[in-house]
């Protein structure tokens, strides 16, 4: 059973999220909070596994609440929500310790899948946002002639290609179509890639791709 606490300053949004999550037999909504301070207080009493956290809230915003939860309740994992795809507060929340980020226009199926993913300790970031998020905020050295990125020990050409496609923003199904292989084969390769890179999840693998120079961050125009 995944114990979920919902934190949002809008009662209607809290009610809607609860109605989406509650029917699933592996999820229990244990409480609702109207601001970040209440979310931290309730987390201490209710011991949720996952906090679905709005970023913009009064009293204590979602970023600071996430940082406080990471400090005092590290076993409680935060899934941040925002109306804005590239809101700077979302980036701050991920740095503060959030395990994932979703825009509020995701489908109910995407929300429950993200809650389950975060509960396992893996990152959950909407695929359409992951590459934009990393390319906007990961800083890579700018050199006139960048050498070819080093391939980690034991990484095969196929694993490197899958790593590159992952970093370009494709999900498992998209990678499978691109390489004309099965989704299960993609998953098996990704397990090997994560192990050889020494990363925890897809988000960390994308960061590693940018930091290694395998892919280039887009230059920001504003």
């Amino acid at each position: 059973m995944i114990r979920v606490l919902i934190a949002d300053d809008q009662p209607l949004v809290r009610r809607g999220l609860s109605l989406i999550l509650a029917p699933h037999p592996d999820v229990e909504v244990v409480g609702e909070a109207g601001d970040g301070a209440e979310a931290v207080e309730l987390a201490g009493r209710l011991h949720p596994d996952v906090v679905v956290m709005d970023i913009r809230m009064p009293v204590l915003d979602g970023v600071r609440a996430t940082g406080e939860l990471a400090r005092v309740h590290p076993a409680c994992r935060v899934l941040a929500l925002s109306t804005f795809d590239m809101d700077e507060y979302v980036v701050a929340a991920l740095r503060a310790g959030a395990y994932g980020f979703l825009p509020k226009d995701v489908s109910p199926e995407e929300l429950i899948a993200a809650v389950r993913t975060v509960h396992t300790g893996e990152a959950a970031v909407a695929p359409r946002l992951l590459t934009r998020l990393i390319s906007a905020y990961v800083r890579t050295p700018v050199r006139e002639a960048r050498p070819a990125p080093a391939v980690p020990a034991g990484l095969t050409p196929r694993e490197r290609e899958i790593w590159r496609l992952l970093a370009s923003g494709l999900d498992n199904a998209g990678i499978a179509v691109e390489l004309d292989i099965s989704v299960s084969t993609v998953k098996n390769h990704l397990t090997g890639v994560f192990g050889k890179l020494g990363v925890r999840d897809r988000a960390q693998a994308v960061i590693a791709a940018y930091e290694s120079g395998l892919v280039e961050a887009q230059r920001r125009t504003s």
Side-chain angles (χ1 to χ4, degrees):
M1 182 67 70
I2 306 172
R3 295 170 58 82
V4 177
L5 173 66
I6 297 171
D8 195 292
D9 62 328
Q10 299 182 41
L12 188 61
V13 173
R14 294 199 304 271
R15 181 59 176 164
L17 292 172
S18 181
L19 288 173
I20 289 171
L21 296 172
H24 295 272
D26 60 333
V27 174
E28 178 186 7
V29 177
V30 297
E32 298 180 8
D35 58 64
E38 186 180 10
V40 174
E41 189 272 330
L42 285 177
R45 290 197 288 110
L46 301 176
H47 306 291
D49 301 303
V50 176
V51 178
V52 177
M53 180 87 73
D54 184 29
I55 294 302
R56 296 176 181 269
M57 291 188 292
V59 184
L60 187 69
D61 64 39
V63 173
R64 290 186 293 164
T66 295
E68 185 67 9
L69 285 173
R71 185 180 68 83
V72 299
H73 303 297
C76 177
R77 290 155 181 161
V78 173
L79 174 62
L81 299 181
S82 176
T83 305
F84 304 97
D85 281 1
M86 288 300 296
D87 192 323
E88 65 273 19
Y89 293 108
V90 174
V91 178
L94 293 172
R95 289 173 175 164
Y99 271 70
F101 161 60
L102 293 179
K104 284 187 175 180
D105 63 354
V106 296
S107 68
E109 293 76 17
E110 289 172 312
L111 175 64
I112 186 62
V115 167
R116 289 168 176 153
T117 297
V118 166
H119 179 246
T120 68
E122 297 185 6
V125 181
R128 78 173 191 259
L129 304 180
L130 182 57
T131 299
R132 288 171 54 192
L133 189 69
I134 300 301
S135 65
Y137 290 95
V138 171
R139 296 292 183 259
T140 56
V142 177
R143 296 192 288 267
E144 291 185 4
R146 180 190 295 275
V151 178
L155 202 66
T156 67
R158 175 50 60 93
E159 287 172 338
R160 178 175 170 176
E161 179 64 7
I162 286 177
W163 181 27
R164 185 187 66 78
L165 291 172
L166 170 67
S168 74
L170 294 183
D171 59 12
N172 289 357
I175 295 172
V177 170
E178 182 73 17
L179 298 179
D180 194 23
I181 58 178
S182 69
V183 172
S184 62
T185 299
V186 172
K187 291 179 179 178
N188 289 337
H189 280 305
L190 283 176
T191 299
V193 169
F194 292 171
K196 292 173 183 178
L197 294 177
V199 301
R200 184 185 67 192
D201 50 45
R202 301 174 75 90
Q204 291 187 353
V206 172
I207 291 172
Y210 280 95
E211 291 181 338
S212 72
L214 182 71
V215 292
E216 294 283 346
Q218 297 297 315
R219 188 181 300 275
R220 299 188 73 178
T221 58
S222 62

